[in-house]
Amino acid sequence: AMWINPTNTNHYIVGCDGGLYESFDRGQNWNYKANLPITQFYDVCVDNSSPFYYIYGGTQDNSTLGGPSRTRNASGITNADWFITTGGDGFQSRVDPEDPNIVYSESQYGGLVRYDRRTGEEIGIQPQPAKGEEGLRWNWDSPLIISPHKHTRIYFAANKLFKSDDRGDTWKPVSRDLTRQIDRNTLEVMGKVWGVDAVAKNSSTSLYGNCTALSESPLKEGMLVVGTDDGLIHVTEDDGTTWTKYEKFPEVPERTFVTRLLTSQHNVQTIYASFDNHKNADFAPYILKSSDAGKSWQSIKANLPANGPVLAIAEDHVNANLLFIGTEYGIFFTIDGGKKWIQMKGGLPTIAVRDIAIQKRENDLVLATFGRGFYVLDNYTPLRTIKPEDFNQEVKTFAVKDAMMYILAYPLGGSKKATQGESYYTASNPSFGATFTYFLKDALKTKKEIRQEAEKEAEKNKQPVKYPTWDELRAEDTEEAPGMILTITDNEGNIVRRLSAANSKGINRVTWDLRYPLPMLASPPPPGSDDEPEGGPLVMPGTFTATLYKLVAGVMTQLGEPQTFSVYVHEQKIMPDDERKQLVEFQQKVNRLQRALHGTNQIVNELKTRLGSIKKAIQETPASTENLLLSVLAIETKLITIQRNLQGDGTLRSRSESSPPTINERINRIVDDERMSTSRPTQTHKDAYAIAGEEFGAELQKIQTLIKVDVSNLENALETAGAPYTPGRLPEWKME
């Protein structure tokens, strides 16, 4: 796509497989719009990198690439985190399950390389015909797998299947030609057989008659299943010594392209197959299951939409009845082996899902979409355990995944895009911490919402609408809206944190950031900010329990089952338990001091305002007020001294002069220094705490005396003198 500015013909905008480009000098220089997530992925795979796995995939005309599923950075995942593993049109990747630095990457027509993530080197390893043999017929997207039985063994298919036991250094064929071997020049295209001189005859198309799908049983070594573009499925149970061909499938037209094959992780006889016949103007979904290693097949398309070819299949590694399929119009799942399919949405656009991968360690579902990049559903385990009857319960809570604790880094100097501007692309990391998932049959409703729903129902049924009483309306006006509360407790039953949770019908999630609460009420984020609210210090790793409650009319009622989980630190040996315990205990001490200090500062600031009102009231008092004025000035002098000791010398600061550190500064410095670290407290921090604690104790005693004695006596005198009411003073009055 191309647009030329009609009023400035030096200005172009071009759209292509790579995205959007803009030029202001007739194409001499281009500005690439890097913040548009519109990559066209054909395939996806995931590795076992630790602590975060990597995602790999091949793109239309823009190489095969890989990148992390999440980072330690508060900015999320940026374009700079991704890297190219091979060029051309990108297709299938596979990563050694024991060495995530070994990546097999593919370009069009079987261009296979072995890429080393450590060095960035790649070496071509495509199988070649032996001397005197005919050329191989590779598909545009040739099937590639690593054997689940030996991590150095790979299988790769052209029109025949090849095997390598040494990571592609040497290959041997383990099949004959597995296709129908039809001459494509004898086939009709658009209703006729075209001559050799037809425009673009056979250009940009795969040689017909090649393998398109491949799987090896995780339960039986050497049991391989291969599908072809001309509608055949071959099965071998002896690593290619003998093959059985299947060419007719229920409801599937002859010679329909086999998109995916999947051998089950749960039953050695179970095979899933999907087909795509859109090249013949047939857009129906075809997905089959065999329970006898291919001898017979049954359709499991059930209630799938009639329009939407099936492009990908995945099977849960725990629950054999939980399946996922990618189609031309999104992704569907089933919890009953294909009797009923449910479309997954949750923000996923209506887009072709070309491939699906499951990261088993994390229980993540990863999708390759053709035009919207990769999508990850983090921890889909609730789908594994949910049952139809669960939807009839008021609440269903699900297991909480163990949470890894670490410190977020800020390489951009801030969170999200920081100062980079909107042209800088970032993909959000999953929420940091422990994520709690629950299902609500219905949202909790206010009295007003219940009344309004009843009125709508009455109108719908043509019944009279009951007008509420004034007491009912008063109850509506004063009602505290009901809500959901998630309580986190430690292994001794102590409450660690309470979090507000979503009160929405359906499946909800809330994440605890593994921190204690702040010692003061957090300020609301500025308008338009999407920053997460700050928490207090990190907890000690260990076992915790999350319990969901509903809060209605001030009463908390437990909902569902409490869920226990662990908080752990990756590579715990870096910081021994005793050192982390010292850190947590020290931070808790600082937290308690910060809480008391923050409250005292607020009281000092409020008292200044209160004294200002008292001085105005004294002026309006008809009685003698000289002693009252002297008293308030004396209190003000004491308060200024306390404030200076707590908050600093304003006289010096206003003139940019150096001044000794205040109690506030010492404590805030400790909190700021340690918020981004898990190192044990420094001696400087310990010394600062000791100094601040000693100084604060003296100032706290002064302010307590000032309020309980001096201010109390002054306000009693004001009341006796008949001074106008001032904030904080309880009026006295008797009936005359």
Side-chain angles (χ1 to χ4, degrees), residues 26 150 157 163 173 196 216 262 270 283 331 353 401 405 468 485 522 618 629 695 717:
R26 299 181 71 85
K150 184 178 181 182
K163 170 185 174 181
V196 69
E216 182 183 12
L262 181 67
T270 298
F283 300 97
I331 184 170
V353 175
K401 180 179 176 181
M405 177 187 289
I485 303 292
I618 290 172
L629 189 57
E695 292 180 350

Side-chain angles (χ1 to χ4, degrees), residues 573-590:
K573 60 187 178 183
I574 294 175
M575 187 176 188
D577 281 349
D578 60 332
E579 290 188 9
R580 185 172 287 275
K581 186 177 180 181
Q582 290 178 36
L583 172 65
V584 173
E585 289 176 349
F586 179 73
Q587 288 180 334
Q588 286 290 77
K589 285 198 305 184
V590 172

